[in-house]
Amino acid sequence: RSTLFPYTTLFRSPYSPTALWILALLLILVGALGIVLPALPGIPLMFAGMVGAAAIDDFQRIGWLTLAVLGILTIVSVIVEFAAAALGATRVGASKRAVWGALLGTVVGLMFGIPGLVFGPFIGALIGELSIHGRIDQAGRVGIATWLGLIFGTLAKIAIGFAMIGIFVLAYFIG
């Protein structure tokens, strides 16, 4: 019995462990897809699946330290997701309005699927920069830098997702 979670009987389920494992693995797989697909909170879904998997055996194999590390990585991934486009715009001297446009474009773009996610931050930064300077060349550089920031943010989330899976597997089978 886990000393960290002395009331783990709260996590007992009337469902079979096999069904719970399938659910946990499904959450992890859908979360992995959500890293690159819009409208799915990828890393948070993966984390939820990992916490569920840890709860199946009363947190005996996956303890508080592993869950804390996975939780921190989840928070970092969410910050990266929303900050990447804005940071890309900032790198080329974008105005504050362009940065806010990139953030707003990212949020609005989520509603339009993959095209919205690809073009939303670019269009938001472009409109924001145009509204300040009216120079298409500067606005175009800001839009492209925003888009590159989004790509690098996605790559960072992929790396975080792989790291989380590696930590979980190592902790489960070795720890």
Side-chain angles (χ1 to χ4, degrees):
R1 177 169 292 278
S2 172
T3 58
L4 179 64
F5 297 101
Y7 302 105
T8 54
T9 55
L10 295 174
F11 296 106
R12 298 260 187 248
S13 171
Y15 302 105
S16 75
T18 303
L20 294 174
W21 270 110
I22 290 170
L23 177 62
L25 291 174
L26 190 62
L27 281 171
I28 293 169
L29 289 174
V30 170
L33 290 173
I35 293 173
V36 293
L37 295 176
L40 284 176
I43 301 287
L45 281 176
M46 286 177 62
F47 180 65
M50 291 173 184
V51 170
I56 292 169
D57 68 353
D58 289 335
F59 303 92
Q60 293 300 308
R61 291 181 179 217
I62 304 293
W64 69 271
L65 182 60
T66 302
L67 290 175
V69 169
L70 294 172
I72 290 168
L73 287 173
T74 300
I75 291 167
V76 167
S77 78
V78 171
I79 292 169
V80 164
E81 185 171 11
F82 287 105
L87 291 175
T90 304
R91 295 278 299 167
V92 294
S95 65
K96 286 186 180 183
R97 196 175 294 179
V99 172
W100 280 106
L103 287 171
L104 184 61
T106 301
V107 173
V108 171
L110 287 172
M111 295 180 229
F112 295 98
I114 292 174
L117 188 61
V118 170
F119 296 111
F122 174 82
I123 292 169
L126 186 75
I127 291 170
E129 193 67 24
L130 276 174
S131 72
I132 294 287
H133 300 294
R135 292 181 36 216
I136 193 71
D137 60 328
Q138 172 65 11
R141 278 194 301 277
V142 167
I144 290 170
T146 300
W147 188 72
L148 289 172
L150 183 67
I151 288 173
F152 286 117
T154 300
L155 292 174
K157 288 188 323 180
I158 291 169
I160 290 170
F162 276 116
M164 288 176 67
I165 290 170
I167 290 167
F168 182 84
V169 169
L170 282 174
Y172 191 84
F173 290 108
I174 295 174

